[in-house]
């Protein structure tokens, strides 16, 4: 189905699930709310499309490491305390160790470009998700996912065509929609309503570590000692920022 087709199934089915679960049409939206939700949803859809394109061209761990520079940028731009820079620096050090800068195998520049684009979208997703989180979490993420689906589903349908409607594709897409979008995005919206934006940004920067662990457990990928050190630095940054969140 290609990256566009996978994204269309993931986002489109997630929008249907969230609409059925939260019935967001019962929530009254102001003009400002509607604008924030449209931008939030657009960034969500673009982020999915771009990162899947990057996955097709460069290693997944590298792509995610580049992508999380977006949330880290949000941390640095929003921070007013020295300790936030300390934890951000810890996360950045971990990411630097994960990136194969010294590798003799060059990265596909197109894949790097897609990942950089996904990083920007992730940063904007956090900014506008925080603004949209003034609404109830469930309805907000349902409206945002609908906005994302209105953009990604036509793109995916044009690319993959009838392959999207096969029973196997729909069943697999439903599982991905629940586990990768409907459930985690709902939880993220709840977190955005309770955490400062910079703290949320540091927390989600643990994604490369989670990806590395998944690669080890599911795909049997082996990591070097330096890469495990990188994971430890990122987990330290995430845990420390979470511990400090209650004081904000």
């Amino acid at each position: 189905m290609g990256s566009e087709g996978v994204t269309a199934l993931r986002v489109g089915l997630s929008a249907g699930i969230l609409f059925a679960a939260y019935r967001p049409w019962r929530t009254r939206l102001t003009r400002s709310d509607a604008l924030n939700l449209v931008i939030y949803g657009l960034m969500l859809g673009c982020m999915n499309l771009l990162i899947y394109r990057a996955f097709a061209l460069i290693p997944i761990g590298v792509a995610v490491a580049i992508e999380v520079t977006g949330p880290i940028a949000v941390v640095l731009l929003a921070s007013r305390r020295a300790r936030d820079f300390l934890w951000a620096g810890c996360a950045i050090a971990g990411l630097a160790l994960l990136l194969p800068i010294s590798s003799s195998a060059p990265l596909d520049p197109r894949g790097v470009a897609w990942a950089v684009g996904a990083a920007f979208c992730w940063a904007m997703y956090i900014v506008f998700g925080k603004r949209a989180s003034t609404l109830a979490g469930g309805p907000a993420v349902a409206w945002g996912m609908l906005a994302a689906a209105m953009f990604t589903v036509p793109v995916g349908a044009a690319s993959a065509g009838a392959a999207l409607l096969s029973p196997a594709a729909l069943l697999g897409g439903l599982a991905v929609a629940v586990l990768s979008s409907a459930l985690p995005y709902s939880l993220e919206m709840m977190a955005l309503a309770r955490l400062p934006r910079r703290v949320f940004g540091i927390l989600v920067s643990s994604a490369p570590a989670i990806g590395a662990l998944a690669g080890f457990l599911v795909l049997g990928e082996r990591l070097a000692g330096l890469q495990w050190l990188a994971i430890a630095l990122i987990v330290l940054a995430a845990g420390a920022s979470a511990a400090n969140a209650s004081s904000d």
Side-chain angles (χ1 to χ4, degrees):
M1 294 183 292
S3 57
E4 293 85 358
V6 172
T7 303
L9 281 179
R10 171 179 173 173
V11 176
L13 292 175
S14 295
I17 293 169
L18 292 170
F19 249 66
Y22 294 114
R23 292 177 285 179
W25 58 85
R26 300 181 301 175
T27 302
R28 184 178 180 85
L29 299 178
T30 66
R31 179 177 296 182
S32 177
D33 290 334
L35 178 61
N36 287 330
L37 287 170
V38 167
I39 299 175
Y40 163 75
L42 181 63
M43 293 297 102
L44 175 60
C46 287
M47 179 176 67
N48 278 275
L49 279 172
L50 293 173
I51 198 60
Y52 278 126
R53 280 182 170 269
F55 288 165
L57 297 170
I58 60 177
I60 290 176
V62 174
V64 176
I66 295 172
E67 186 187 25
V68 296
T69 59
I72 290 176
V74 173
V75 173
L76 294 176
L77 292 174
S79 178
R80 293 181 177 84
R81 300 181 309 180
R83 64 182 178 183
D84 291 325
F85 283 92
L86 172 63
W87 304 130
C90 189
I92 291 171
L95 291 174
L97 293 177
L98 283 175
L99 286 172
I101 298 174
S102 59
S103 174
S104 59
L107 296 174
D108 190 314
R110 296 172 299 167
V112 173
W114 294 130
V116 170
F120 172 79
C121 292
W122 198 350
M124 293 299 99
Y125 162 80
I126 292 173
V127 171
F128 287 94
K130 181 65 176 178
R131 295 179 184 179
S133 67
T134 55
L135 303 170
V141 76
W143 281 119
M145 193 65 72
L146 177 64
M150 293 179 68
F151 167 65
T152 58
V153 170
V155 172
S159 175
L164 293 179
L165 300 179
S166 70
L170 289 173
L171 183 60
L174 181 61
V176 172
V178 172
L179 297 175
S180 297
S181 292
L183 180 59
Y185 288 147
S186 295
L187 294 174
E188 281 189 0
M189 183 59 71
M190 295 176 188
L192 279 167
R194 292 166 173 79
L195 294 175
R197 187 172 61 195
R198 60 185 181 276
V199 173
F200 179 83
I202 295 179
L203 285 171
V204 297
S205 72
S206 63
I210 302 301
L213 288 173
F216 172 73
L217 295 173
V218 180
L219 302 176
E221 294 178 345
R222 302 290 177 176
L223 298 178
L226 207 59
Q227 293 169 316
W228 284 117
L229 174 61
I231 290 175
L233 288 172
I234 294 172
V235 170
L236 174 62
S241 61
N244 292 331
S246 60
S247 65
D248 290 323

